[in-house]
Amino acid sequence: MQEYIIQNIRNLNTAKLMEYLQYRGEKQAKLFALAEQIRNTSSFGKKVELRSVIEISNICNQKCRYCGMGKNNDILYSLSKNEIIERIKILANVGRRTILIQSGENTTQRFIDDISTCCSEALNLYPDIKIILCLGNLKKEQYQQLRNSGAQRYILKFETGNPKLHKYCRPNDTIKNRLECIQNLIDTGFQVGTGNIIGLPNQTLDDIVDDLILTTKFKLSMVSATKFIPNANSEFKNNKIGDINLTLNFNAILRILHPECLIPSTSSLELENKNGQMTGLMIGCNTITVHDGTPANLKANYHIYSDNRFTPAEQHCRNIIAKAGLVAEKYLI
Ligand code: SAH
């Protein structure tokens, strides 16, 4: 039975993928157990990467309708080079070795130069750290510059693979361009992560099956799905929150499709579902992000997900990792 499910998933049998996404109750528990077992027997075993995020700027070229960043008279901010290095030092001094640098999309060359300088300085100070960038769509030469500065990984989610829905949710971009950026990142030599959002307005189950298939078209090191959260600062503020079961099933199927990828158990799972993030760890996820990198006084201006977003501190993350029977590591790849 287990082999049959694994085969159907890896053969990208769309009818079966559709069926598995809708599993609930006992069948869902079996799907989860299978995903957990595949994670545990992957090269990662029971290890979980514990990383920190620094949200360095909320200035953004895009106007994604699900995102509240830089909208409604927000105070715009951008950390200076020195401030970024200071934040990295604080994180490194508490032992963190994987640092996610995230921001709105800002293609100005000055911004990219500054981040490149920060990456090379940080890696000079701490040669054993891993830097993950999540900065949106940039020119291929800018990706190359960032890669040359030593940053090892980049996350660029396609968000939804449906071209029409993509345009609706991300009016300043196209799916074609977003996918080209993902491929450029891979060609540049980054370890790349991508994925989608589950529960976007008008998104169908067919779209979600297609998204699963789309993740297999790239050579990925990381893959992720967040549950859609109606952000009060965004145009989708009145839309329905994403379905937790669908998101969990999607993540479990991702694990079966990508045994050797890092998959985060995101804070989006926790909103409205106590223990959602721990559940993520028990269905095959193996990455947790600590929200201790962004200066406290700026956090309120960085509106992704939700303003009452759950931003777990280190101890909470360590507790749920231990409760799930797993072991926190500085990095896994
Ligand atoms: N500007 C960067 C970073 C975006 S924020 C970029 O374009 O890549 C990081 C991720 O958060 C996004 O890729 C998206 O998948 C997720 N996200 C943003 N708003 C969300 C929401 N309201 N609900 C669920 N996920 C969301």
Side-chain angles (χ1 to χ4, degrees):
M1 182 60 189
Q2 288 197 340
E3 263 318 303
Y4 175 72
I5 294 181
I6 296 175
Q7 264 183 26
N8 283 333
I9 290 177
R10 295 193 181 152
N11 290 338
L12 304 177
N13 178 328
T14 49
K16 289 291 172 191
L17 289 172
M18 179 80 82
E19 185 183 325
Y20 301 153
L21 281 170
Q22 295 175 86
Y23 268 2
R24 301 292 181 271
E26 257 175 52
K27 285 181 169 174
Q28 186 183 35
K30 282 199 181 132
L31 178 69
F32 288 173
L34 189 56
E36 187 177 27
Q37 183 194 325
I38 287 179
R39 192 259 332 268
N40 290 349
T41 53
S42 73
S43 66
F44 304 124
K46 294 195 167 193
K47 295 175 189 155
V48 174
E49 179 171 290
L50 191 68
R51 55 171 80 135
S52 283
V53 60
I54 313 176
E55 293 148 332
I56 59 167
S57 169
N58 63 354
I59 296 172
C60 190
N61 295 329
Q62 300 285 347
K63 290 285 167 271
C64 304
R65 292 203 162 106
Y66 48 79
C67 181
M69 215 188 287
K71 293 181 181 164
N72 301 340
N73 306 320
D74 269 352
I75 297 168
L76 295 179
Y77 76 89
S78 200
L79 297 189
S80 68
K81 269 188 293 191
N82 282 345
E83 285 169 323
I84 297 173
I85 292 288
E86 281 313 305
R87 300 311 297 178
I88 293 174
K89 281 186 184 165
I90 293 171
L91 296 172
N93 288 340
V94 298
R96 204 78 66 243
R97 283 296 175 273
T98 306
I99 296 170
L100 169 60
I101 295 183
Q102 194 183 74
S103 82
E105 185 179 296
N106 180 348
T107 50
T108 54
Q109 192 51 38
R110 167 92 197 274
F111 183 68
I112 303 305
D113 288 345
D114 281 357
I115 298 175
S116 301
T117 309
C118 287
C119 291
S120 44
E121 276 185 27
L123 283 155
N124 256 333
L125 287 169
Y126 311 100
D128 60 338
I129 61 172
K130 308 281 180 186
I131 299 178
I132 311 174
L133 301 173
C134 180
L135 310 170
N137 299 353
L138 302 173
K139 293 198 203 89
K140 189 167 184 188
E141 305 78 68
Q142 293 177 318
Y143 287 148
Q144 190 67 63
Q145 181 186 350
L146 291 164
R147 176 70 192 108
N148 293 348
S149 76
Q152 299 96 331
R153 307 193 214 159
Y154 202 108
I155 297 173
L156 190 77
K157 293 176 69 184
F158 57 76
E159 319 295 6
T160 167
N162 176 324
K164 262 193 171 163
L165 182 62
H166 196 99
K167 195 76 202 164
Y168 173 59
C169 296
R170 310 189 63 249
N172 284 9
D173 198 11
T174 60
I175 185 65
K176 185 170 174 284
N177 184 47
R178 192 80 166 169
L179 296 179
E180 271 170 21
C181 285
I182 295 170
Q183 191 54 50
N184 283 341
L185 283 162
I186 294 170
D187 295 344
T188 307
F190 276 106
Q191 293 173 309
V192 171
T194 191
N196 72 347
I197 304 178
I198 310 251
L200 289 167
N202 304 329
Q203 189 182 37
T204 64
L205 263 183
D206 282 307
D207 293 333
I208 294 174
V209 169
D210 288 347
D211 285 353
L212 277 170
I213 297 171
L214 186 53
T215 66
T216 66
K217 306 296 178 210
F218 297 97
K219 193 179 167 300
L220 300 178
S221 306
M222 303 172 284
V223 63
S224 86
T226 44
K227 183 179 77 171
F228 168 68
I229 307 286
N231 180 307
N233 213 39
S234 76
E235 272 133 291
F236 286 167
K237 59 174 180 272
N238 295 322
N239 287 88
K240 215 171 75 222
I241 192 165
D243 183 309
I244 181 75
N245 282 301
L246 195 54
T247 312
L248 290 173
N249 291 10
F250 190 96
N251 273 287
I253 297 171
L254 278 183
R255 170 54 67 208
I256 298 167
L257 277 177
H258 302 278
E260 295 296 330
C261 272
L262 293 183
I263 302 181
S265 182
T266 66
S267 60
S268 75
L269 296 176
E270 197 76 23
L271 203 81
E272 291 198 337
N273 301 279
K274 202 170 172 331
N275 299 328
Q277 227 178 349
M278 189 170 99
T279 309
L281 289 178
M282 296 173 77
I283 60 149
C285 297
N286 59 354
T287 305
I288 292 270
T289 302
V290 188
H291 287 260
D292 55 356
T294 309
N297 62 325
L298 294 175
K299 267 188 178 172
N301 297 302
Y302 196 82
H303 299 278
I304 64 164
Y305 295 172
S306 151
D307 294 345
N308 48 5
R309 183 179 182 202
F310 178 66
T311 53
E314 177 174 359
Q315 198 50 51
H316 171 85
C317 296
R318 289 192 179 277
N319 289 347
I320 60 171
I321 291 170
K323 265 200 197 160
L326 303 171
V327 184
E329 292 282 334
K330 293 184 162 64
Y331 43 76
L332 294 186
I333 57 174

